[in-house]
Amino acid sequence: MVMTTIRNFCIIAHIDHGKSTLADRLLENTQTITDREKKNQLLDDMDLERERGITIKSHAIQMQYVEEGVSYTLNLIDTPGHVDFSYEVSRAIAACEGALLIVDAAQGIQAQTISNLYLALEHDLEIIPVLNKIDLPSANVEEVKDQIIELLGCEDSDIILASAKTGLGIQDILREIVKRIPAPEGDPDAPLQALIFDSVYNPYRGIEALYKVVNGTLKKGQQVMFMNTGNKYGADEIGILGLKQMPLKEISTGNVGYLISGIKEAKEVKVGDTITLAEAPASKAIAGFENVKPMVFAGIYPVDTEEFEELRASLEKLQLNDASLTFEPESSVALGFGFRCGFLGMLHMEIVQERLEREFNMTVITTVPNVSYYAYMKKNPEQRVIVNNPSEFPDPTKLDHLEEPYIKAQIITKSDYVGAVMNLAIEKRGQLTNQVYLTSERVEMSFDMPLAEIVFDFYDRLKSISRGYASFDYHPTGYRESDMVKVDVLLNAEPVDALSALIHSSSAYDIGKKICEKLKELIPRQQFMIAIQAAVGAKIIARETISALRKDVTAKCYGGDISRKRKLLEKQKAGKKRMRQVGNVEIPQQAFLAVLKLND
């Protein structure tokens, strides 16, 4: 295969701007798929992806396209659109030379479009702007064209008008891909360097690594080495990715392919790693590799404690498909045995929870999500302790200071909602760093915010106050010193560890009061009084009381001296006291998620 006829490109867009539908049309127009194989969202193979209309897992596929008698190989590396998977997006972009920038003609430019576009520009990709959904009655073609021209600095004639649904403009897109995206550069005679941009789990053949050959050539049967892990494997099967895998004897420079070598654990194949030959390794790995770090932590517990081992097996199977999921066993007094899981973000957490329920029939309780903090102790201020769980929070008297993760948040909304969005961000301890009017109607605002504030109900409230017209994107910017306290919830003086939360001291009282009020609504009344308290250390900051169910013990006493009634009441009082000592308060499942919806 000649390198000059290869084109590697990806599609970048906001959620629901028609990325998967456009990929379907490209596959149909290049006759990569037959009429029998046609279906919507062809590259999204999970039910969850189809239902939500989002791409969770990246996909890659090769197409053949003939232009002016020359046959071109087009490698489409599809990327997830959501911010939680931005590292996967960055590695997929690094494997390309060009990108299709898809913008919805009705919705205009959104936050994720901009952040993924910046990633593409950092890697010097050739950008082809495509205005999609122009057939919609609500399409605002001229206004959105102006937005694209302002964002990219391109000409009006550079923008391709298309409708992925009807197939309009698809031939123009294919022509422009061949004309404008450069062929890959690389040296076929240099030592092998191949960038892993994704991995897929096959239940029969183990983990398949997907890669782009940057330099050199990979042949079947050679011994390969992954440079960041140092592990060596045999290239049992290599090939290119059509709709089905097509085995080949060798993959040359510039091309995209798969490698099967019987790897059993997803953690051994890391996205961003470099494949080289074991006997003639490259001198250095391709730059940009980093280990994916979980940002959000939550406890996942089985509703029935006997299903603990079943839950472990389910999480292990899920991890084969998703190497970014981390988990370790933990126990809670209220919930029994479970796992502390690390996720890339809130959407990732939702997806894992839903997949556990659908694919493994596991009914689970998820505790309040929180982020990881760095604690520095007075005894040794140089050494930092990672706190992933409120129960790991050190004794405040021994703590020197605490650092929490911060993010740069980008919000694009209509100018009517600027005040409401700003109030919400300030309430969540955000600081406005920039405000740009993209058009007279659309504003882009940038905030520095703590990640912990996003984990709670931020996104839902943002959608509510903007009536669905705000798009939100963020990326981590590092750790900053912060004044956090641990708020414990006590039921009849017994702490419920699953309801503990690390909260900024300025909002500890308000949140403690709201938790107590919410629990008062949710916990059913017993035959004894229940005291619900929120405490910071030994100090009680809020309290609510659930009064006892009253049983009229004097009903049978219809006459005689008052002392008879008093005797019965004293007997009842002693019984209630004993019941309170041995009585167990059942906490309903929704109480554990109540903290997330305190503003409802």
Side-chain angles (χ1 to χ4, degrees), residues 88-108:
E88 268 190 42
V89 176
S90 78
R91 294 302 84 206
I93 284 173
C96 301
E97 283 78 41
L100 297 179
L101 176 72
I102 312 294
V103 181
D104 187 325
Q107 294 180 47

Side-chain angles (χ1 to χ4, degrees), residues 398-412:
K398 295 176 184 171
L399 185 69
D400 184 61
H401 68 278
L402 195 79
E403 289 183 352
E404 67 172 327
Y406 264 70
I407 56 161
K408 184 177 190 233
Q410 278 178 304
I411 298 169
I412 295 179

Side-chain angles (χ1 to χ4, degrees), residues 250-438:
E250 66 172 58
I251 305 283
S252 56
T253 305
N255 210 351
V256 170
Y258 69 89
L259 164 75
I260 296 175
S261 49
I263 302 167
K264 292 286 183 285
E265 286 196 36
K267 349 184 211 303
E268 291 181 37
V269 181
K270 295 187 174 182
V271 171
D273 204 345
T274 305
I275 302 174
T276 190
L277 295 178
E279 63 267 22
S283 56
K284 63 177 194 295
I286 298 161
F289 172 77
E290 57 181 72
N291 280 310
V292 182
K293 295 183 196 76
M295 297 295 288
V296 172
F297 294 84
I300 290 186
Y301 293 83
V303 171
D304 184 352
T305 46
E306 289 172 9
E307 292 178 348
F308 174 72
E309 286 304 328
E310 213 175 307
L311 178 60
R312 186 201 294 272
S314 304
L315 283 168
E316 281 169 359
K317 282 179 190 161
L318 256 187
Q319 205 177 35
L320 290 172
N321 279 309
D322 185 354
S324 52
L325 169 69
T326 61
F327 64 91
E328 56 183 46
E330 71 166 5
S331 63
S332 153
V333 177
L335 299 172
F337 291 102
F339 293 94
R340 189 88 195 150
C341 301
F343 309 96
L344 297 176
M346 290 303 286
L347 179 81
H348 188 212
M349 176 179 143
E350 249 178 81
I351 285 160
V352 167
Q353 204 177 329
E354 210 156 319
R355 284 183 71 186
L356 279 173
E357 285 179 11
R358 284 179 181 215
E359 295 171 28
F360 304 100
N361 291 325
M362 293 296 308
T363 315
V364 293
I365 294 173
T366 309
T367 63
V368 180
N370 62 282
V371 299
S372 59
Y373 300 88
Y374 289 149
Y376 294 83
M377 311 307 285
K378 284 177 182 170
K379 200 174 181 182
N380 189 358
E382 296 301 309
Q383 192 186 354
R384 68 182 187 197
V385 180
I386 298 172
V387 179
N388 290 333
N389 187 339
S391 63
E392 295 170 6
F393 189 70
D395 180 353
T397 56
K398 295 176 184 171
L399 185 69
D400 184 61
H401 68 278
L402 195 79
E403 289 183 352
E404 67 172 327
Y406 264 70
I407 56 161
K408 184 177 190 233
Q410 278 178 304
I411 298 169
I412 295 179
T413 187
K414 285 191 167 182
S415 48
D416 306 0
Y417 307 120
V418 169
V421 169
M422 219 176 270
N423 284 342
L424 174 64
I426 289 164
E427 184 193 322
K428 296 284 186 182
R429 297 192 284 136
Q431 291 177 323
L432 182 70
T433 54
N434 198 7
Q435 185 173 332
V436 181
Y437 276 80
L438 303 171

Side-chain angles (χ1 to χ4, degrees), residues 211 213 216-218 238-240 248-253 255-257:
Y211 56 87
V213 180
T217 305
L218 175 60
I238 59 169
I240 54 169
L248 290 177
K249 290 276 188 284
E250 66 172 58
I251 305 283
S252 56
T253 305
N255 210 351
V256 170

Side-chain angles (χ1 to χ4, degrees), residues 101 119 180 287 344 398 423 451 476 489 501 520:
L101 176 72
L119 269 178
R180 282 159 65 176
L344 297 176
K398 295 176 184 171
N423 284 342
L451 179 64
V489 175
K520 187 180 179 181

